Amino acid sequence: MRRDLATGFAGCLDALSPHVARDLFRERLDDATGHAGWWDAESRGNWLWGYTMLAHLSRSEDHRARADALVRALRATQDPDGYIGIHSAAARYPAGDAENGELWAQSRAILVLLAHYELTSEAASLESARRAADLTLTKYGPGRPHFGRCSTLSDRTGQTHGLCFADALEVLYEATGDDRYEDFARWLLDDFDAWPVPFPNDDLAAASLVDPLRPLHGHAVHTVEHLRAVAFGGAPGASRLQAALRKLRASATKSGAVIGDESLHGLPGPGAGYEYCTLTELTFSLARLAQHLADPALADWLERLVFNAAQGSRTADGRALAYLSSDTRLDALASRPDSYSLLSGRHGRFKLSPTHDDVACCCNPNATRLLPHYVGAMWMRCADGPALAAFAYGPSELRTVVDGEEVVILQDTAYPFEDEIRFTVTVAAPLRMRVQLRRPGWAAAARVEGVPCCEHDCWITIDRTWRGSTSFVLRLELPVLAERYPGGEVAVLRGPLQFVQPVPHRSRVLRERPHAPWHDEELLPADPGDVAARLPVLECSQPDLGLAVTRDAGGDPDDPWSDPPLCLAGSGFVLVPIGAAPLRRAAFISR
């Protein structure tokens, strides 16, 4: 995260992209129905949200000061009645069948303010967010729907994005306890469900989920982000959520990605495309669903997604990413078509770029949110406390208050490249508290050394009175596992990491930027013969598939993707983590 701010596009995207630089929250639009009118609000809003979280969570002082100033500038755009959005007074709050980005743009701004409040305790940001949401609550409701009432296949991208106004409502509800926000989220989901199917991005509408055989077909980003609205705005009980998760799991590759190039279709084979926006929204959704379902298996999916698909779709230095990527990637060419370019004729989603301005500047701004969402999901407070649950793992420091006492928990680890996590719990005064550690589903064994514990339902529980500082270690036994793609090919996984055969590559610059080192580029095999090279044969009957774990501690521990410290060696070949192989084969044959 610190490197992305210091040298990646995350810290300067508003200087690289005019779409991120353009401030629609200040400028305002006179037309509320234009399909593309709201896009720049999404680009700027998602980037400022991610940038604010990155700056504060990584304690990058210069970026933190700049993010704070940008948030205060956003607050200054608020009208006296509380409105924060992108439309002039005459164009606000269109209802029914009008395609618009009203709620979508508002949610991006409000979530920036709420993240800023969570990270700084600056009350003005919470008050600004609350005034903005309270105004919107008066503009929609029974008799004034936001969503359509006629079945249609016409584009409604901004309108269906608006269901994620529920994201802002959920954070407001958590911050204030005001039931109005939960009630409006339920009304918004009911309003979405009242739109007769089919309509664009209706995968998680109630009428669509009733049929377990109805395939997912919408824009994958919408489908995975709507999970959060179903979780917060749905009726008590998890049956609808579970139906949605079953369908999404059936569309997930072994790297954790839900496919969609950009539309969601086909089987999740090793060459199926997936969008970086989908990876970010799925990361956020899995974290939110964990709160509602308390299911540790969601963390297995979360870790696999973040450490594989997400890392494998970007460069290690944070300077560029692929808008669309895939598990097996034998090239990254701008000319490769996707389901949208077949209609528009505009290619370019599979190349690497710091902005992707020529297609749509959405994935790069969204990418700044991914790691903060992961960090935000690492620890959760248990409803039957006083207790804290370690939901996902990685080097971090938690500072919180339990029963009025300050608690600090340090995770010292190189996970996912290391099989042990060293915890230190420090309390300001003696405190009776449970600490629950998730037992990953891929671990053959997990044991805690240093304190008494017990294990139940995939959780390892340490229930004791804590005094001063207490250290203990979680050790994981991680076998090498084979999982099959739909065509029968085998993916290789160990713990949360997927391992692939790297294909040596060369870069071809497509577009130079005014300032180095920024450019768009393609990746091609260094030698065409590398693509035709013999695939390794895996010995599935042997322990660890006949592969040996090799470790190298000589690299930079803060940059493990450039020189991976953990690899798998076979007879005449070496497999590396997917995030360390810009071009790669992810699927193998076995015997």
Side-chain angles (χ1 to χ4, degrees):
M1 290 166 66
R2 291 180 180 129
R3 185 174 62 253
D4 283 356
L5 285 170
T7 62
F9 62 76
C12 59
L13 193 55
D14 57 335
L16 297 173
S17 169
H19 300 285
V20 175
R22 186 184 181 197
D23 190 352
L24 286 180
F25 299 105
R26 185 184 71 251
E27 294 177 15
R28 306 287 171 83
L29 299 171
D30 292 324
D31 181 6
T33 61
H35 168 62
W38 47 265
W39 278 12
D40 288 350
E42 173 189 301
S43 297
R44 184 170 182 83
N46 275 330
W47 170 73
L48 184 51
W49 184 14
Y51 179 59
T52 300
M53 293 189 291
L54 277 171
H56 281 273
L57 288 173
S58 66
R59 295 178 177 172
S60 299
E61 292 301 329
D62 291 346
H63 288 286
R64 184 155 58 178
R66 182 167 177 253
D68 290 347
L70 289 169
V71 172
R72 290 167 190 146
L74 174 62
R75 291 202 314 248
T77 69
Q78 189 161 33
D79 289 352
D81 65 355
Y83 181 78
I84 290 184
I86 62 172
H87 294 120
S88 62
R92 293 173 191 172
Y93 306 110
D97 288 324
E99 158 63 3
N100 67 88
E102 178 71 86
L103 292 189
W104 178 235
Q106 285 188 30
S107 73
R108 301 306 88 183
I110 293 172
L111 285 162
V112 171
L113 296 169
L114 292 171
H116 186 250
Y117 167 69
E118 288 186 342
L119 293 161
T120 67
S121 299
E122 195 165 307
S125 288
L126 175 60
E127 178 61 21
S128 179
R130 189 165 191 175
R131 290 179 60 225
D134 287 353
L135 178 66
T136 299
L137 264 59
T138 68
K139 302 299 182 179
Y140 293 102
R144 187 166 172 76
H146 174 265
F147 298 108
R149 286 298 181 268
C150 297
S151 180
T152 179
L153 295 179
S154 299
D155 202 339
R156 294 289 188 270
T157 304
Q159 195 174 16
T160 46
H161 268 317
L163 182 58
C164 281
F165 191 71
D167 291 336
L169 296 170
E170 184 165 11
V171 182
L172 278 166
Y173 176 71
E174 292 173 343
T176 68
D178 191 332
D179 290 338
R180 292 180 304 128
Y181 300 124
E182 185 178 40
D183 293 342
F184 191 83
R186 288 175 176 167
W187 172 84
L188 192 64
L189 182 61
D190 290 343
D191 187 49
F192 181 75
D193 289 339
W195 196 346
V197 297
F199 61 86
N201 306 313
D202 63 0
D203 282 341
L204 299 196
S208 302
L209 285 175
V210 165
D211 181 0
L213 299 180
R214 185 181 191 271
L216 299 174
H217 66 272
H219 182 212
V221 178
H222 280 80
T223 302
V224 301
E225 75 184 13
H226 286 172
L227 274 172
R228 304 189 296 270
V230 171
F232 182 53
S239 59
R240 181 173 175 180
L241 265 183
Q242 294 294 356
L245 284 170
R246 279 194 295 273
K247 288 190 176 186
L248 285 168
R249 283 191 175 104
S251 295
T253 73
K254 301 309 174 186
S255 68
V258 167
I259 59 173
D261 66 341
E262 298 184 10
S263 63
L264 210 167
H265 60 92
L267 295 173
Y274 41 78
E275 183 179 350
Y276 209 100
C277 278
T278 307
L279 306 181
T280 295
E281 297 297 350
L282 182 57
T283 298
F284 190 26
S285 290
L286 291 173
R288 275 300 189 190
L289 262 63
Q291 292 181 254
H292 293 276
L293 301 178
D295 181 0
L298 293 172
D300 292 351
W301 189 353
L302 176 68
E303 290 188 354
R304 185 174 289 190
L305 169 71
V306 169
F307 295 139
N308 297 292
Q311 189 61 38
S313 300
R314 50 165 279 167
T315 60
D317 59 14
R319 296 192 186 277
L321 58 76
Y323 188 120
L324 295 179
S325 188
S326 54
D327 289 3
T328 286
R329 187 165 71 173
L330 300 179
D331 56 45
L333 300 179
S335 59
R336 178 177 169 179
D338 56 81
S339 61
Y340 278 22
S341 66
L342 293 174
L343 298 174
S344 68
R346 296 176 61 197
H347 299 340
R349 290 176 172 86
F350 284 93
K351 70 175 185 300
L352 294 165
S353 171
T355 65
H356 285 284
D357 276 341
D358 57 327
V359 180
C361 187
C362 56
C363 288
N364 297 72
N366 247 345
T368 64
R369 295 169 41 205
L370 186 137
L371 285 174
H373 287 323
Y374 180 82
V375 170
M378 293 176 75
W379 285 94
M380 296 192 182
R381 191 184 304 277
C382 300
D384 60 347
L388 299 171
F391 182 71
Y393 296 122
S396 61
E397 181 183 76
L398 170 71
R399 291 181 177 271
T400 189
V401 175
V402 177
D403 267 8
E405 300 296 341
E406 293 182 2
V407 177
V408 178
I409 303 182
L410 180 70
Q411 287 190 56
D412 174 22
T413 182
Y415 188 88
F417 302 98
E418 184 180 10
D419 302 344
E420 71 174 42
I421 303 158
R422 295 163 293 279
F423 292 86
T424 299
V425 179
T426 302
V427 295
L431 174 67
R432 183 77 186 190
M433 175 182 68
R434 292 197 329 272
V435 173
Q436 296 186 186
L437 309 177
R438 167 182 136 261
R439 184 191 191 281
W442 46 65
R447 65 183 186 275
V448 169
E449 298 174 0
V451 291
C453 63
C454 61
E455 183 176 341
H456 181 67
D457 289 340
C458 297
W459 292 100
I460 300 171
T461 300
I462 305 165
D463 190 352
R464 68 196 302 270
T465 298
W466 304 85
R467 293 181 174 85
S469 292
T470 305
S471 297
F472 58 91
V473 179
L474 173 64
R475 300 188 190 278
L476 302 173
E477 183 180 321
L478 303 176
V480 180
L481 302 174
E483 294 187 12
R484 294 195 180 275
Y485 284 100
E489 312 100 316
V490 171
V492 176
L493 298 115
R494 182 183 185 275
L497 291 175
Q498 181 175 2
F499 288 81
V500 299
Q501 182 183 32
V503 173
H505 71 279
R506 61 186 176 90
S507 171
R508 181 164 62 197
V509 174
L510 300 172
R511 173 191 175 194
E512 291 284 4
R513 304 270 176 163
H515 303 290
W518 308 106
H519 56 259
D520 291 8
E521 64 179 345
E522 295 181 317
L523 301 181
L524 303 91
D527 181 344
D530 291 331
V531 176
R534 181 175 62 87
L535 276 174
V537 177
L538 302 176
E539 303 291 346
C540 287
S541 61
Q542 295 186 17
D544 291 331
L545 312 183
L547 303 173
V549 175
T550 64
R551 298 184 184 274
D552 180 4
D556 181 354
D558 288 332
D559 186 17
W561 303 105
S562 297
D563 184 12
L566 178 67
C567 298
L568 299 177
S571 178
F573 63 91
V574 175
L575 306 183
V576 303
I578 191 171
L583 297 185
R584 67 261 178 171
R585 295 180 186 83
F588 307 100
I589 56 178
S590 62
R591 62 187 176 195

